[in-house]
Amino acid sequence: QVHLVESGGGAVQPGGSLGLSCAASGFTDFTFSSYAMNWYRQAPGREREFVAAITRAGDSTLYADSVKGRFTISRDNAKNMMYLQMDNLKFEDTGVYYCNAVHGGRESWGQGTQVTVSS
């Protein structure tokens, strides 16, 4: 199973920016570039929700309407890394952000990194 570790979370004021990273390792039969990658988040008292997705080659992305135009997902297959640049952060962006890898119907999750937007 792929091992995913998120980093880069923290506290920021509304309107600020944060950059998250997801480091992937533990590949056996397939390389990082074989996995579609996603970011999810979970706010306190709410269910986990989709944030953004990127294709294996990184040539196509998808965003939740709530973050479109503010967040940018990217990946570096040579480094086994995925990123999420978050700009113009809002209070409602607060939550634990999770990295997700999908291949052949199987998925792996990281432990999450906390993002807190407050004044």
Side-chain angles (χ1 to χ4, degrees):
Q1 189 173 2
V2 176
H3 183 57
L4 303 172
V5 178
E6 303 93 339
S7 62
V12 63
Q13 293 184 340
S17 297
L18 278 177
L20 304 184
S21 298
C22 172
S25 62
F27 303 101
T28 54
D29 297 331
F30 304 99
T31 62
F32 178 67
S33 61
S34 298
Y35 289 79
M37 298 295 295
N38 307 284
W39 285 100
Y40 284 78
R41 67 185 180 188
Q42 187 167 18
R46 300 185 65 177
E47 294 187 354
R48 193 172 298 187
E49 65 175 3
F50 168 79
V51 175
I54 189 166
T55 54
R56 297 175 184 84
D59 53 355
S60 182
T61 58
L62 180 69
Y63 297 93
D65 287 343
S66 58
V67 307
K68 199 173 296 182
R70 300 187 297 118
F71 289 13
T72 303
I73 186 172
S74 62
R75 66 190 294 167
D76 186 335
N77 287 342
K79 296 182 179 179
N80 294 349
M81 295 289 297
M82 179 178 66
Y83 308 98
L84 186 68
Q85 178 62 37
M86 305 184 295
D87 298 318
N88 191 20
L89 283 159
K90 304 177 179 181
F91 291 118
E92 53 264 40
D93 293 319
T94 293
V96 179
Y97 283 69
Y98 296 91
C99 177
N100 170 258
V102 181
H103 177 82
R106 299 176 66 179
E107 59 183 351
S108 300
W109 293 89
Q111 293 299 306
T113 185
Q114 176 70 45
V115 171
T116 302
V117 185
S118 72
S119 54

